[in-house]
Structure formats: C-alpha cells, structure tokens
Amino acid sequence: MDLNTIERNDPDSASQSAAAASAPAKKVFVKTYGCQMNVYDSQRMTDALAADGYTATDVIADADLVLLNTCHIREKAAEKVYSELGRIRDMKAERAAVGREMLIGVAGCVAQAEGAEIIRRSPAVDLVIGPQTYHRLPDVLARVRGGEKIVETEYAIEDKFEHLPQPKRAEMIKRGVTAFLTVQEGCDKFCTFCVVPYTRGSEVSRPVAQIVAEAERLADAGVREVTLLGQNVNAWHGKGEDGMEWGLGRLLFRLAEIPGLARLRYTTSHPRDMDHELIAAHRDLPALMPYLHLPVQSGSDRILKAMNRRHTAKDYLALLERIRAARGDIALSGDFIVGFPGETEADFEATMDLVRQVNYASAFSFKYSPRPGTPGADMPDHVPEAVKDERLQRLQALLLKQQQDFGLSLVGSTIDTLIEKPGRQAGQKVGRSPWLQPVIVDEKAGEIGDIIRVRITKTGYNSLFAELA
C-alpha cells in the first residue's frame, strides 16, 4: 500500500506521515505516442504524480507505474498498444515473482476510444484514463491500490488545468529552453477522417489568466520559446484580462510581453479559423516565428467536400496570399491525406498541383486509414493499398524536394538561432531556426538558451550548418 496515499487520506496520523516521508520515492515511466499535445499531457501527468510521491524514470524496468499515453490518429494504433501491453505484462509478472509491484495504466486517445475493452483484452492493466481526466491520477491510483480496476474516461465538467499541481521550478528547468503550452483542446469541425472530436471532445479554450501564468512560470525557469498547442489552436477564444473575449492573435501579443520569452509559435491550425487579427500578429509581432503549419489535406475540392473540410483549394490559396503579404519570409507546413475514399487520379493530381503552387518548407503526408466510428470508414470506393502507396511516394518525393530547396535557399543568409541543446557529436551544439530546422553550430558559439546571429554555410538532410555571423 502507498504510504503517501495513507497520509493524504488520514492527515491526523503522525506516524503514517513520518513513514511516508521516509519511504523511497516510487518511479513512473511514461511512454508517449503521437502529437505534441500528448508530449505536453505526459509532462503534466508526471507533474500530477510528483505530488503523489512519484519521480520520473527513463528506464521501464525500474518503474513502479508504467503509463502508455496513446494516440488514435494512425491505423492500427490500438493494436500497437495491445502489443506493447503484452511485453509490459510479462515484466509485471517478473516483478510480482520477487515481491515488487508494477502498476500499468493506459492514457490518452486510445484509452478514451477503447475504454473498458482495454482491461478486457489486457487484464494486467490496472487503470484506463482519458485525456480529459488525467488530473485525477493520484485519486485513481489510490483506488487501484484498494483493489479496483479503474476506467476513467468520462469528460470532466471541471477544468482539468485548474486541478493540476504546478511542477517545481527545478523540474521545469530540466525540460530545456523550449516548451509546449496547451491553450485549447478538442475540435468541432468533424472532418470525416478524424477521431479527435470523439476522443478529445468539443472545443474548449483555456482563459488568458491561466495561460499567462503558466507561460510566466516557464519563462522564469529559463524557457525562451513557447509553442501554443491545440487540436484546432487558432479557434482559441478565451476570457481576457479585461473580461472580454480574446482571439489567438491578441493572446500572442500578450504573451510576447512576458520577460524572457523571445519566441512564440502555435500549432495545429485550421484554414477556416485564420482571422484578420492572427494574420496581423504575423505581420506586427517579431516574437511570432515566420513558420505556419496550416493543413489542407487535399487539393481536390471534391475530396475536400467529402472530408467535410468546408473550404476549397481556391480558398486555401487565397488565404496563403494574405498571409504571405503580411509576412514575406513566412514558411508553410501542411498535412496531406492520400487515398481518401473515392480519390481518383485526377483528385490526386489536384493535390500535387496545389503543392507545387504553395511550395512547402516541410509537410506531413499519410495514407488514409479508416478510423472506426468516423464517417470516412463507412464511405464507398476505398482506394486500394497499392494505389495509396504509389501516390504517397510521388507526393513525398515532391515535398522532400521542396523541403531541400528551402534549406538550400537559406545558404549564405544570416539568421537568428536559439541554442537548444548539446549536439550529437563532440564540439557541437544544436540550435533552432525561425523555421524549426535544427542548426548545427560550434559549441563555443554560445550557451544553451542564447539567441545568436549565424550565417548558414551548408545544409544536411534535415538540418542546417552555421557559423557565427
């Protein structure tokens, strides 16, 4: 039994408190799948567990609690989780044989989608907790130690962010000079290929005061660059410090006032929520980096309609014209789905044509995979896998060429680089360009957290090499 739990439930017991204070800290191992928001959620789960006596470990064999923070976007996501659970189950049995406890938990979007089915298929799992309820982890673990199997996937009425313990400053410093900050969760768009509205719920925006307070704590811990996260982040609308409703553009201006925060980013966006104020922020706010991830998914209006994207290729291109007019050096990133049901060769060529017109600095492209419970899964005319494979290869070749061309276009230019971490090779440090590329510099060029002026000398496969300007 967890002595920390006893202390929390029976605060009048001095002997139990003393025992808890002397007990060795338990260790938690968190494996994160999927998007940046899951990375953020994993950190916050670790923070919540720290208040319950757990310390994080990178060695799964040392863990008293193993949490899989799962993603449900890609095909066979659930099966990959069950396969991983099989390996952890064997580890748990080995621990039990020598009298050591190992609890197993599944969190995130697969947990939300599968619920009790996870424990039915993997009885070694002790708890299943959805992405909106992880602030309840300490209480859930207390119930697990009481002998229960817990499935906690009901959406919380209360705001989970208000109930999470704040990480200690020393722990935040360890996380580095860049950080994610969730400002919005859920999505109301209901694209026919996507499970997010079903696993993350409807759109919810955090209030400005919460966001600013967290950003100030990050800056105090040495963070220089913050990326605002949301499933549909540019739909964020929160109560401002003046009592009025703010949009994302105004929020970015407020965050730029925080001492120490030098760079701001946000992801992921929807074209329909790119308003005038946000475009103006790209024009007028130096701290907002000239890089925008704006998924389009397809260049075919017919397929966009089937996807329920509610914009056309022409709408998207016109929006990009406005954005580029506001910020001439902005680089574009996007998402593409190849082989959506009913996609013809002409539809795919429309996507290729759009890519050529936009000229992306980077992009993510995937074969369509049906997600159970989404309208797309039940549509007719699914594209054969061989056709999806061939189209994806053509698209990725074009996108890779554009990415490489963008890197080459920077050779000889002088840019600001945030030094982020030591390099893989001795004598190097790795920085981050305004457009998110890794920048390799000499280790003497500056200290981690410095923003230095460098000249790009050459490109690597996914990185830039630079010298002090």
Side-chain angles (χ1 to χ4, degrees), residues 155-453:
Y155 288 125
I157 297 174
E158 70 273 20
D159 182 355
K160 71 180 181 184
F161 296 101
E162 291 182 350
H163 293 78
L164 283 168
Q166 297 305 324
K168 295 179 180 178
R169 185 173 185 273
E171 181 59 34
M172 295 176 74
I173 290 172
K174 291 179 186 176
R175 294 176 183 171
V177 296
T178 63
F180 296 126
L181 198 170
T182 293
V183 300
Q184 180 270 342
E185 288 204 41
C187 186
D188 295 340
K189 298 298 186 288
F190 287 93
C191 298
T192 56
F193 54 80
C194 186
V195 296
V196 165
Y198 312 103
T199 58
R200 290 275 182 171
S202 59
E203 290 176 1
V204 176
S205 297
R206 296 178 72 184
V208 172
Q210 271 191 29
I211 297 167
V212 170
E214 186 168 340
E216 287 174 340
R217 287 192 296 271
L218 291 169
D220 182 59
V223 168
R224 304 299 313 281
E225 176 180 300
V226 166
T227 301
L228 307 184
L229 298 180
Q231 268 86 28
N232 193 22
V233 69
N234 58 343
W236 177 88
H237 282 86
K239 182 180 179 181
E241 294 165 327
D242 56 1
M244 304 293 287
E245 185 178 83
W246 292 13
L248 186 64
R250 188 169 180 185
L251 175 65
L252 287 162
F253 275 98
R254 173 65 183 88
L255 294 175
E257 296 173 1
I258 296 174
L261 280 190
R263 289 178 159 195
L264 297 170
R265 304 180 188 271
Y266 61 91
T267 194
T268 290
S269 304
H270 194 289
R272 291 182 59 242
D273 292 307
M274 201 78 196
D275 62 20
H276 295 289
E277 189 176 39
L278 186 52
I279 294 173
H282 280 282
R283 181 191 65 211
D284 300 332
L285 190 58
L288 182 55
M289 292 294 95
Y291 179 85
L292 176 61
H293 185 65
L294 193 64
V296 62
Q297 306 300 355
S298 174
S300 162
D301 288 347
R302 195 176 70 84
I303 296 301
L304 288 170
K305 184 176 181 180
M307 289 176 167
N308 194 36
R309 292 291 289 175
R310 289 180 277 181
H311 62 77
T312 64
K314 184 178 179 181
D315 294 336
Y316 181 81
L317 292 170
L319 174 61
L320 295 190
E321 282 188 20
R322 292 171 53 208
I323 295 167
R324 282 174 161 158
R327 183 74 192 255
D329 63 342
I330 200 163
L332 273 297
S333 172
D335 288 347
F336 294 91
I337 294 174
V338 169
F340 190 78
E343 183 188 73
T344 65
E345 181 64 21
D347 293 321
F348 174 71
E349 281 300 331
T351 297
M352 295 286 281
D353 183 60
L354 182 142
V355 170
R356 294 185 190 101
Q357 291 184 66
V358 173
N359 196 16
Y360 288 92
S362 66
F364 303 93
S365 52
F366 311 93
K367 293 186 297 181
Y368 171 74
S369 59
R371 310 313 303 134
T374 61
D378 297 324
M379 287 181 177
D381 302 323
H382 280 250
V383 177
E385 285 299 313
V387 175
K388 288 193 280 188
D389 286 338
E390 190 273 335
R391 289 176 183 170
L392 183 65
Q393 289 177 24
R394 276 192 279 159
L395 175 60
Q396 289 183 337
L398 175 58
L399 291 170
L400 178 60
K401 176 68 165 54
Q402 291 185 349
Q403 177 182 322
Q404 292 172 337
D405 287 347
F406 178 71
L408 287 170
S409 74
L410 297 174
V411 173
S413 65
T414 301
I415 67 170
D416 288 334
T417 296
L418 169 63
I419 301 182
E420 190 174 3
K421 58 188 176 182
R424 291 184 179 179
Q425 297 183 17
Q428 293 181 342
K429 283 193 174 85
V430 179
R432 183 180 290 200
S433 82
W435 305 280
L436 268 184
Q437 303 117 311
V439 181
I440 313 301
V441 297
D442 187 274
E443 66 177 352
K444 297 178 183 178
E447 299 302 319
I448 291 173
D450 289 346
I451 296 177
I452 61 174
R453 197 79 174 150

